Amino acid sequence: MKSNPLRRCPYLLCALLLLFAVGAFPQSDAIQTDVPALKEVYAGDFYIGCLLSYPHVGFPSDPQVTGQTAVVAPNGGHLIKFHMNSMSPGNNMKPAYTVDISASAAAYKAASIAKKDSIDTHPIVKFNGNLIAQLNWAQRQGFTFRGHTLVWHSQTPAEFFRSGYSASGARLSKEKMIERLDNYIGSVIRLLHEGWPKLLNAMDVVNEAVTDAGEDRTDNSEWYQTFGDNSYLLTAFQLTRKHTLALGESQIKLYYNDYNTHIPAKADGIVRICTPIFQAGYLDGIGMQEHDSNSSPTAEQWIASYDKFYPICSEMAVTELDVTTGSATPSARLLETQANQYGQLFKCFVERSYFSGRGKIIAVCKDGLNDEWTFKKNQSSSLWDTKNQCKPAFYAVVDVGLSYNALDSLIAEAGTLQESLYTVDSWSVLTAALAKAQAVMTRSYANSLSAADTLKTAKTGLTASLLALIPKTSAVALETGGSVTTFTLGQNYPNPFNPVTRIPYTLAQEEEISLRVYTLTGQLAAVLFEGRRGAGSHLAEFDGRGLAGGIYIYTLRSGRSVESKRFILLK
């Protein structure tokens, strides 16, 4: 018997145990939680999601599923849970993974003559362990889920189109293939309904049926060859709608999904095939796979395709988003360019967002987990590096979302103000800042011009001009002073805000104080604190829910001392 070296060296065993106990091997890919969560930044715009597999997000505490594979990214689940609220499977819902060709062929071979015909149109459909584990994970986290995909020219076994599920079998007739397609789609929807009712909010019914030249995929599409034309597209949508409605899963929106949608000819081809499906009432959405680069697409190209798709769908989703730098070890300059590219794309997305009412983009789904676990490996394509640390592109995406939405509210607030109520000089400053803000909101950006920085600068300028407005008459002045000032009132943060902000103040001694919020016309909006407060630093929280957006004045009083400042509540 071979001896165990650890038995012969107890000091080595103790040392190893000690190393593990004190964390000598810490998780070097721990996520950053001191940054804004993307799902919160864009909560009023669209879902933020990812396309990946269970091994990238699994937690040690997850219930085990037979057939699931080991988790490869221990902190991946924490990253996705922190930033996102939607997900889509990588490969595991594609036909190559859900249709059990071997079992279907065996069932056909073992069947009696009388039953072969039925079995030939009823393929055996199963979900593997990783898909089940991922659906369970999404359900536990309260995520929405996008199915991907039912009908695709790739990753669909050739045997699926032949009698007996055999490569040597005769190609099925169009009529028989429709029966098989019907039962296949019905089985997928039934499994989803039975195991995870109401979890899915979208399904990519058909994926990539158009070439970059805008033509139907023919020679490399078993679907086209079996049907003899592209009528399989409408059929797939009809059948999916039938089964989702029959099983009470009407919340599942039916999508056509494709890549390189910014190419004009391809966008035209997508419009050509999707228009009749939409007009028939079966297509809900267009999915735009955004496997992009530092230089493509431009904002103008992306917008042109969005505008083409707008009339033929009720919603759109950005799917599989990444921006490749072309290098596994990009320079600071490349990362800056990538940040600008991500920034200009998210500016396009947010100004056309579904939940805000500005457009039809209802979801933005990035590809993979980080620079390590992604389709575009070794190209530094993600918002996070291989250790889950935020890259410049992440901060650009955050700043675009925060600044664009703040500017949108600030511009709306400025539009409600009456010039006659304010001094000429302060109104002139506001007018200039407002014109600049409107210009940066409506322009397109590029990989050489930071949308994040430009929007942020405009937001700062417009905020300052609004806070600096001087009313000709005001019931509440910005007072400071008194016989003896025994406190300091700080500026609230964040400012502007929606709906909660915090107000810092410091008392030199214990005393009776009053902290109140007023409108510009002097109406009391809120009492944050009244009573005796001890010496030291304090923080008051103001929740603006229930109040109209606008400029407010908050005032701290103690005896004859008073100090006031302004803040802006956004809506």
Side-chain angles (χ1 to χ4, degrees), residues 4 59 168 172 189 254 267 323 330 344 380 393 410 473 482 564:
N4 187 331
F59 293 131
S168 60
L172 292 182
I189 302 301
L254 308 189
V323 174
Q344 67 134 341
S380 189
L410 290 169
T473 59
S564 300

Side-chain angles (χ1 to χ4, degrees), residues 355-387:
F355 296 146
S356 70
R358 294 187 289 257
K360 293 187 177 181
I361 300 297
I362 196 170
V364 175
C365 180
K366 68 173 293 295
D367 182 79
L369 176 68
N370 53 25
D371 279 346
E372 174 69 18
W373 303 104
T374 180
F375 177 65
K376 297 289 187 177
K377 196 173 177 68
N378 296 321
Q379 298 188 52
S380 189
S381 61
S382 183
L383 298 174
W384 297 278
D385 66 17
T386 59
K387 301 300 182 182

Side-chain angles (χ1 to χ4, degrees), residues 200-314:
L200 267 69
N201 69 340
M203 171 65 81
D204 291 333
V205 177
V206 177
N207 195 51
E208 301 173 9
V210 176
T211 68
D212 285 355
E215 301 171 348
D216 293 337
R217 290 190 182 274
T218 56
D219 293 343
N220 65 342
S221 172
E222 293 277 358
W223 291 105
Y224 194 97
Q225 293 176 43
T226 301
F227 275 69
D229 52 29
N230 71 5
S231 61
Y232 71 92
L233 299 169
L234 178 59
T235 301
F237 277 90
Q238 287 175 318
L239 296 175
T240 307
R241 180 77 83 202
K242 180 184 77 171
H243 290 293
T244 56
L245 293 179
L247 290 170
E249 297 286 346
S250 59
Q251 83 287 347
I252 300 178
K253 302 302 182 182
L254 308 189
Y255 270 72
Y256 175 82
N257 188 62
D258 216 325
Y259 67 97
N260 282 350
T261 53
H262 65 277
I263 296 176
K266 184 156 196 174
D268 291 339
I270 292 171
V271 171
R272 172 180 57 81
I273 67 167
C274 288
T275 296
I277 306 174
F278 176 70
Q279 292 174 341
Y282 300 118
L283 182 140
D284 299 307
I286 302 291
M288 296 173 282
Q289 289 184 38
E290 294 293 335
H291 288 300
D292 299 330
S293 71
N294 266 10
S295 59
S296 177
T298 64
E300 292 77 8
Q301 288 173 326
W302 189 90
I303 293 169
S305 290
Y306 172 92
D307 289 344
K308 290 178 180 179
F309 300 149
Y310 191 93
I312 61 162
C313 63
S314 58

Side-chain angles (χ1 to χ4, degrees), residues 519-564:
T519 67
L520 284 179
T521 59
Q523 181 181 0
L524 179 64
V527 176
L528 301 185
F529 184 81
E530 282 191 342
R532 197 158 190 85
R533 190 69 108 186
S537 297
H538 302 278
L539 197 62
E541 185 173 279
F542 172 68
D543 190 331
R545 276 184 281 257
L547 293 176
I551 304 171
Y552 290 82
I553 295 174
Y554 58 98
T555 299
L556 180 63
R557 294 178 182 273
S558 175
R560 298 177 60 186
S561 298
V562 59
E563 189 170 353
S564 300

